[in-house]
Amino acid sequence: MQYCAGATSEEKVETLKDTVVRKYYALKATSGSHSPSALALQRYIPEVNLKIDCCYLSNPYATEVFMERLKADFNDEQWLHNTIESYPAQNRQVAQDLSKAIGVKPQNIFIGNGATEIISGILTHFVKGKLLIMLPTFSPYHEYANKETIIHYYPLTKTETGFTLDHEHLLQYCITNEINNIVIINPNNPDGSYIERDDLRVFLKNLYFMDNVILDESFIDFAGDAESMTKDFTNYKNVTIIIHYYPLTKTETIIHYYPLTKTET
């Protein structure tokens, strides 16, 4: 321990580590479900020289690749200026443009700013009764659930190579416990486990009795050659799909899109 000269034993001097920890926890308490941003950390904890942002959603080693793609995709400088300097289109117009690209009707598309915003909206306005969440999972799914919602946590089976899901066992669990809402993250966040497309089709079909099947495909781009289930969207009347789109071409708007409302009956 370190003490001030002439101070009593109760007057402990705060070390640099103590200062950083104290400030971090104070900042984290105001940051919601996400960790504080690198900018916030540097601003509020200047004692730390932050060199790399280790947030799992950032990639500090891809900046040069991004800049190369940015210059190639936006080689029309005047078009880029016009796009940046103009007020963005309304969500309704963006949904109409996106509809042509993904084959989902505009009235079935809801656009949000960040997956957490969409998740909060779904859980608040659509999910009632019982909700099954597989573990491990993305924390907002239980953080934003209504207080009246009864959450059932279903642990995935841990193996030497990762986590796996026994579809038949889960299906029987849902029927036995009268689960009427379920979250399926594919690939799963945070472990990356993946349900193959054909298996997922069968699984979704067997969940016909659910009020809401939330299929979160936010990280589908990291699943190799896997395709989004948006092409099968109209085959299911209780499925909500959350998906990111990262269009960086002249014909599309730079924004995240989340087609997630139910198909028409």
Side-chain angles (χ1 to χ4, degrees), residues 10 27 36 53 73 78 136 140 150 152 157 169 176 202 206 252 254 256:
E10 288 79 11
L27 181 61
D53 183 1
D73 289 338
Q78 185 58 52
I150 301 173
H152 284 243
T157 302
H169 185 274
T176 301
V202 175
N206 289 335
E252 297 175 325
I254 309 174
H256 297 305

Side-chain angles (χ1 to χ4, degrees), residues 121-238:
I122 296 173
L123 297 181
T124 300
H125 298 289
F126 294 103
V127 174
K128 311 294 180 183
K130 297 180 179 180
L131 172 65
L132 185 139
I133 300 175
M134 303 176 208
L135 296 178
T137 190
F138 185 40
S139 61
Y141 278 108
H142 59 82
E143 292 174 349
Y144 290 101
N146 288 318
K147 293 180 179 179
E148 298 79 13
T149 301
I150 301 173
I151 300 179
H152 284 243
Y153 293 104
Y154 185 90
L156 298 175
T157 302
K158 189 174 183 179
T159 65
E160 294 182 357
T161 57
F163 292 88
T164 60
L165 172 63
D166 186 332
H167 297 176
E168 292 297 327
H169 185 274
L170 175 57
L171 181 62
Q172 190 57 49
Y173 180 92
C174 290
I175 294 174
T176 301
N177 292 277
E178 299 180 335
I179 306 295
N180 62 315
N181 304 278
I182 187 172
V183 174
I184 303 172
I185 307 179
N186 196 47
N188 193 33
N189 177 2
D191 66 280
S193 57
Y194 179 71
I195 304 174
E196 295 295 336
R197 189 181 177 91
D198 290 340
D199 293 335
L200 184 56
R201 286 196 183 102
V202 175
F203 190 38
L204 293 177
K205 183 178 180 180
N206 289 335
L207 295 174
Y208 66 91
F209 59 90
M210 291 278 182
D211 291 337
N212 294 284
V213 177
I214 303 170
L215 177 59
D216 188 335
E217 292 186 325
S218 294
F219 294 95
I220 194 69
D221 289 339
F222 297 96
D225 296 329
E227 296 183 16
S228 167
M229 288 294 290
T230 52
K231 293 183 178 180
D232 297 71
F233 184 69
T234 56
N235 296 333
Y236 311 97
K237 295 186 180 298
N238 61 348

Side-chain angles (χ1 to χ4, degrees), residues 84-102:
I84 294 176
E85 295 168 359
S86 301
Y87 194 84
Q90 294 182 339
N91 287 355
R92 181 178 299 179
Q93 181 59 54
V94 176
Q96 291 177 351
D97 294 338
L98 178 63
S99 173
K100 302 172 185 178
I102 66 175

Side-chain angles (χ1 to χ4, degrees), residues 13 32 41 50 62 68 74 83 121 156 162 180 184 188 213 221 224 262:
V13 174
L41 287 169
L50 185 61
E68 290 176 3
F74 295 116
T83 301
L156 298 175
N180 62 315
I184 303 172
N188 193 33
V213 177
D221 289 339
K262 297 180 182 178

